[in-house]
Amino acid sequence: MQSKDGRTLLEVRGLKATVAGVEILKGIDLTVRAGEVHAIMGPNGSGKSTLAKVLAGHPAYAATAGEVLFEGADLFALAPEERARAGLFLGFQYPVEVPGVTNASFLRLAYNTVQAARGKDELDPLEFDDFVREKMNLLDMDVAFLDRSVNEGFSGGEKKRNEVLQMAILEPRVAILDETDSGLDIDALRVVAGGVNKMRDPGRAIVLVTHYQRLLNYIEPDFVHVMAGGRIVRTGDKSLALELESRGYDWLLEGDKAAGKAVAA
Amino acid sequence: MSSTALQNLIEQPYKHGFVTEIEADVAPKGLSEDTIRLISRKKNEPEWLLEFRLKAFRHWLEMTEPAWPNVRYPKIDFQDISYYSAPKPKKKLASMDEVDPELRRTFEKLGVPLHEQKALAGVAVDVIFDSVSVTTTYKKRLAEAGVIFCSISEAVRDHPELVRKYLGTVVPQGDNYYAALNSAVFTDGSFCFIPKGVRCPMELSTYFRINTQESGQFERTLIVAEEGAYVSYLEGCTAPQFDTNQLHAAVVELVALDDAEIKYSTVQNWYAGDKDGKGGIYNFVTKRGLCKGRSSKISWTQVETGSAITWKYPSCVLLGDNSVGEFYSVALTNHHQQADTGTKMIHVGRNTRSRIISKGISAGQSNNSYRGLVKVGPKAAGARNFSQCDSMLIGDACGAHTFPYIQVQNDSAIVEHEATTSKIGEDQLFYFASRGIATEEAVSMIINGFVKEVFTQLPMEFAVEATKLLGLKLEGSVG
Ligand SMILES: Nc1ncnc2c1ncn2[C@@H]1O[C@H](COP(=O)(O)OP(=O)(O)OP(=O)(O)O)[C@@H](O)[C@H]1O
Ligand SMILES: [Mg+2]
């Protein structure tokens, strides 16, 4: 395990959130410290992506209770783009296609915007080209993807690689990767996991949303959380993932119902 | 980045809305044969031109306003318009320094490239201020190349045989309602003649501007490229802000002889009315190019961002064998703007080719229609057309429509039409935001990507201007 400076980067307390008037998150507590890797697992529809999007500030989701501190400050006081500039990164489960905008120009604008916000130097197109090629190399990505429109016509796995590329470029403090492993072939999984591991840093935290324990063989988590029905119903270490692999979720869901009653009472 | 933020973003105030206070010589309102005689007399015109006007007027009296465009507006009272407005010049102007300072400030606000540096960049500018051409720069250098570039009034005076030979040959007096009106009352415009074998040594540029509140603007532009000649021409337009609507009914005629090429680019930013749809220009324009000679080529590139209502179909008549017609268009509508625009490609000669790339962007409550006709005549063996019409919607309250008309009378012709509609959605904007990119920049990046294919057709510096203009049009008060 890596050394950690142990600072709390993300502190979620009693977070509830709705979408289209329906409450999806029903009270989430989560503390993420620098240097840690957290895995969030849980059945389909349990609210994992919702949590990720609420944190990143998707306008369709409304936080209705609780609070979130990002490096000690109120996260919800920041607009979505300000959260990104402050160092919060979301790798999308379903990356969005942007026809007509080249990946190269998109990546460069994102990079320069974030650099400027950090008071660091921006790169001109030529300098950026060198910089991005090196990052793509690490992810075994063909540079031809630079000239294509953002995610347009990318295969499922290619889109996920492009998400990890963006994380590598933006160097966030907290990276939430929503099912970045889904859709990757076996070799790609190894390469992408390698890329994520290279991003591990004492000052950075990574939150992996995943359905597969396989990913956690490559990227070893410090904590594994299980979400069900809009709550974190169990937190453990990496052995919890193994247990889920063999036992499924049912045994935890029973507990969830009980917990639900307890909270309601 | 809520939908209100998106709304704010697309509500950008018009930056050219000011009135220049110079004394103007304005004809009384109303339209009759007397008005036409007055215009013709004021301009010391030859008899044949007066006849041309009167013939057009008689046509017009028998015509009715077209009702087929997909636009709505109250009936225009043609008797409530003044058909002649000229700034009163104190004396003949020899150089820019003598131009009315008020007028120069206007040009400065508009960013008209009249300055020395700009001129050094190779732009010759013929400025139309209301109806009279005020100044023409770089006429001399053009004259050395044998190029004639002047106001159409000057052309009538100095090159009557040329004007008479070509005027009305592409857009006849009775062509359509607004063209007939223009033919009757046009007061000025540009004339450009590139003789045989000459490549025009610079981009030619004209700025049009409607200034007097009650005056209609009826320019007439005529461009002739003789055998093997080449010219690239740019027209830019702005108008000040008034609550009333103003009419702009121009006619542009292009003639290309054997192996000649004319590139005609327009950046139109007439006042579009306010965000509630009050005021703004009615832009009813007839633009047509005649590829008269074999292997001639005419390209229209237009960036339409203004006007309350736009009704405009720059067209090509491909008469010469192997001639080529192109139409590249970006039409942006916002608030209550309405645009019904597109092109007509009329294939007459053999192996004629045409290409249509149309990009419509609708925001606010605006309506944006593409209307295009591809017609292949019986003798146009081997004719080919490719059309691509893409629409982009910003928000939920706007509309995009595509009306392609295809008429083919020759079996060997190949006509292809493709169309797409896309939308800048919340998820796209969120994706950008999650990478640190704010809504405004995201929209501008998506739009720039959308229009790229058309903008690459514009001369470099105008592409830069047009990019800025689109940015302005869509930029707003997003914090
Ligand atoms: N816009 C919406 N309107 C209504 N319900 C929604 C909306 N968005 C999400 N939901 C619901 O919220 C619940 C949680 O969805 P979410 O995407 O967070 O699940 P998830 O845990 O990420 O699932 P998966 O593992 O399948 O990715 C689901 O039941 C989903 O249908
Ligand atoms: Mg999900």
Side-chain angles (χ1 to χ4, degrees):
Chain A
M1 204 162 285
Q2 306 216 349
S3 67
K4 306 172 171 51
D5 71 9
R7 282 188 313 126
T8 299
L9 294 181
L10 186 68
E11 176 91 55
V12 181
R13 290 190 201 130
L15 178 64
K16 295 185 180 179
T18 60
V19 58
V22 183
E23 182 167 272
I24 309 290
L25 299 185
K26 299 181 176 161
I28 302 276
D29 293 287
L30 179 66
T31 301
V32 178
R33 293 186 190 82
E36 294 176 348
V37 173
H38 291 241
I40 299 182
M41 305 182 80
N44 295 131
S46 56
K48 305 179 296 295
S49 295
T50 302
L51 174 62
K53 287 188 215 171
V54 170
L55 294 177
H58 193 293
Y61 297 78
T64 49
E67 62 173 349
V68 178
L69 299 178
F70 184 77
E71 297 199 271
D74 179 9
L75 182 70
F76 294 147
L78 303 178
E81 63 272 20
E82 292 168 336
R83 299 180 198 185
R85 292 172 199 165
L88 180 68
F89 180 86
L90 170 59
F92 285 64
Q93 181 175 3
Y94 303 109
V96 179
E97 300 193 359
V98 192
V101 175
T102 64
N103 218 13
S105 53
F106 175 72
L107 295 173
R108 192 168 78 89
L109 180 60
Y111 175 79
N112 281 340
T113 307
V114 169
Q115 285 289 101
R118 292 173 185 163
K120 293 191 187 161
D121 287 344
E122 300 181 29
L123 297 181
D124 69 31
L126 286 177
E127 295 166 333
F128 184 75
D129 194 60
D130 291 341
F131 169 77
V132 75
R133 276 165 190 265
E134 196 188 307
K135 300 280 183 189
M136 291 177 93
N137 236 334
L138 293 177
L139 291 167
D140 209 8
M141 256 181 104
D142 190 336
V143 289
F145 285 106
L146 287 176
D147 297 325
R148 288 175 57 179
S149 292
V150 179
N151 294 326
E152 192 186 31
F154 286 25
S155 76
E158 289 164 352
K159 285 181 182 169
K160 296 303 172 69
R161 245 184 242 222
N162 206 33
E163 293 295 290
V164 177
L165 173 64
Q166 293 175 51
M167 170 177 75
I169 285 172
L170 299 180
E171 302 189 330
R173 310 298 308 234
V174 175
I176 305 168
L177 299 177
D178 192 355
E179 296 200 24
T180 300
D181 54 332
S182 316
L184 293 178
D185 66 44
I186 301 160
D187 292 333
L189 180 67
R190 205 180 49 241
V191 172
V192 166
V196 174
N197 275 328
K198 285 201 191 77
M199 295 292 293
R200 292 186 74 160
D201 182 281
R204 174 177 297 129
I206 297 171
V207 179
L208 303 166
V209 174
T210 182
H211 286 294
Y212 306 107
Q213 137 42 41
R214 199 183 51 207
L215 176 72
L216 307 181
N217 288 337
Y218 293 108
I219 311 169
E220 237 180 70
D222 301 292
F223 301 95
V224 174
H225 310 276
V226 178
M227 263 187 90
R231 286 191 188 84
I232 292 178
V233 295
R234 177 70 62 109
T235 294
D237 60 16
K238 62 183 179 191
S239 65
L240 177 57
L242 287 166
E243 196 174 356
L244 292 171
E245 187 89 340
S246 57
R247 292 179 67 185
Y249 288 117
D250 274 358
W251 60 287
L252 282 170
L253 299 189
E254 295 305 313
D256 172 48
K257 277 173 201 153
K261 275 179 205 138
V263 171
Chain B
M1 203 186 48
S2 58
S3 59
T4 15
L6 194 57
Q7 204 51 42
N8 288 337
L9 174 77
I10 57 191
E11 287 175 12
Q12 167 67 19
Y14 189 69
K15 292 199 170 155
H16 297 299
F18 49 84
V19 184
T20 305
E21 297 189 359
I22 350 178
E23 241 186 300
D25 181 6
V26 182
K29 286 178 182 177
L31 183 54
S32 65
E33 291 208 359
D34 287 344
T35 323
I36 291 163
R37 286 178 204 282
L38 172 81
I39 293 169
S40 196
R41 198 165 53 243
K42 283 235 181 218
K43 301 176 73 64
N44 291 317
E45 285 177 356
E47 190 60 27
W48 63 265
L49 192 51
L50 176 61
E51 282 311 314
F52 178 93
R53 291 177 181 282
L54 291 173
K55 192 174 154 203
F57 179 64
R58 286 164 202 148
H59 265 295
W60 182 75
L61 285 176
E62 282 163 21
M63 300 170 99
T64 48
E65 240 177 300
W68 50 264
N70 189 23
V71 296
R72 306 272 164 273
Y73 57 93
K75 211 154 172 45
I76 300 170
D77 181 358
F78 290 96
Q79 298 306 334
D80 195 38
I81 293 173
S82 163
Y83 290 86
Y84 184 81
S85 156
K88 276 184 192 154
K90 308 287 182 279
K91 57 179 163 100
K92 269 275 165 205
L93 305 170
S95 82
M96 266 317 286
D97 299 338
E98 294 175 33
V99 171
D100 189 326
E102 189 66 36
L103 189 56
R104 289 220 333 245
R105 268 192 293 280
T106 304
F107 291 141
E108 260 152 43
K109 278 191 246 178
L110 286 173
V112 174
L114 270 181
H115 312 291
E116 211 52 30
Q117 336 120 14
K118 213 50 176 194
L120 285 173
V123 183
V125 184
D126 182 23
V127 181
I128 309 295
F129 191 78
D130 279 4
S131 312
V132 169
S133 175
V134 177
T135 182
T136 302
T137 49
Y138 275 75
K139 219 183 280 184
K140 275 212 195 99
R141 206 180 133 198
L142 291 170
E144 279 161 23
V147 173
I148 304 169
F149 181 41
C150 59
S151 75
I152 198 133
S153 315
E154 285 173 277
V156 167
R157 194 185 63 214
D158 301 339
H159 310 279
E161 70 299 336
L162 281 177
V163 178
R164 195 171 181 181
K165 181 170 174 191
Y166 290 106
L167 188 75
T169 59
V170 185
V171 180
Q173 289 108 312
D175 187 81
N176 68 68
Y177 190 77
Y178 300 110
L181 180 62
N182 174 287
S183 300
V185 304
F186 73 90
T187 38
D188 221 326
S190 295
F191 175 74
C192 175
F193 179 81
I194 323 295
K196 192 168 173 173
V198 171
R199 207 184 152 81
C200 186
M202 61 186 84
E203 307 269 354
L204 301 182
S205 162
T206 303
Y207 257 82
F208 292 118
R209 178 171 168 84
I210 298 177
N211 194 61
T212 311
Q213 184 162 3
E214 301 291 333
S215 81
Q217 179 102 353
F218 303 95
E219 317 94 21
R220 186 91 191 187
T221 299
L222 175 59
I223 301 176
V224 179
E226 284 195 329
E227 292 83 353
Y230 169 85
V231 65
S232 164
Y233 187 91
L234 185 112
E235 170 202 306
C237 324
T238 54
Q241 199 163 330
F242 294 113
D243 286 346
T244 51
N245 295 99
Q246 285 168 283
L247 177 63
H248 176 249
V251 169
V252 176
E253 296 179 281
L254 312 182
V255 182
L257 303 187
D258 289 357
D259 301 303
E261 179 176 349
I262 301 174
K263 241 178 110 69
Y264 191 105
S265 316
T266 306
V267 177
Q268 187 265 112
N269 183 26
W270 298 117
Y271 180 51
D274 67 13
K275 63 181 175 22
D276 301 317
K278 197 157 183 245
I281 302 292
Y282 290 168
N283 192 26
F284 301 151
V285 173
T286 304
K287 291 185 164 172
R288 193 173 306 154
L290 176 62
C291 284
K292 196 170 180 182
R294 43 178 68 232
S295 303
S296 55
K297 179 175 176 184
I298 289 179
S299 283
W300 297 101
T301 304
Q302 60 171 23
V303 179
E304 301 282 320
T305 69
S307 295
I309 301 180
T310 301
W311 179 92
K312 173 179 172 190
Y313 315 89
S315 308
C316 297
V317 179
L318 306 171
L319 188 64
D321 291 348
N322 302 313
S323 60
V324 177
E326 292 177 335
F327 175 73
Y328 297 95
S329 169
V330 169
L332 174 121
T333 53
N334 196 354
H335 305 307
H336 294 266
Q337 274 177 282
Q338 307 175 59
D340 193 304
T341 181
T343 184
K344 286 188 255 180
M345 292 291 172
I346 315 292
H347 294 254
V348 182
R350 302 161 66 88
N351 296 317
T352 46
R353 279 169 295 146
S354 64
R355 183 180 169 80
I356 297 171
I357 307 288
S358 162
K359 306 275 178 176
I361 304 162
S362 334
Q365 287 110 290
S366 67
N367 247 311
N368 202 323
S369 301
Y370 167 81
R371 188 183 302 276
L373 168 68
V374 176
K375 186 171 176 171
V376 178
K379 291 185 188 142
R384 275 175 163 273
N385 160 266
F386 175 76
S387 303
Q388 171 84 48
C389 302
D390 298 324
S391 307
M392 170 80 79
L393 302 171
I394 305 177
D396 294 319
C398 51
H401 317 272
T402 304
F403 304 100
Y405 304 92
I406 298 170
Q407 298 168 9
V408 180
Q409 293 167 287
N410 187 300
D411 291 343
S412 63
I414 301 173
V415 175
E416 291 171 88
H417 177 90
E418 288 174 13
T420 66
T421 300
S422 49
K423 191 170 163 174
I424 299 187
E426 199 171 62
D427 281 322
Q428 264 179 350
L429 294 177
F430 177 59
Y431 192 64
F432 277 81
S434 74
R435 303 302 180 245
I437 303 167
T439 307
E440 214 164 272
E441 248 178 313
V443 169
S444 119
M445 194 170 215
I446 295 170
I447 295 291
N448 287 337
F450 182 66
V451 302
K452 198 156 46 189
E453 221 178 328
V454 171
F455 276 29
T456 52
Q457 297 297 325
L458 288 171
M460 183 64 160
E461 54 174 313
F462 300 128
V464 173
E465 272 181 42
T467 304
K468 272 193 240 155
L469 184 60
L470 280 196
L472 277 179
K473 282 283 173 176
L474 289 169
E475 163 189 297
S477 44
V478 175

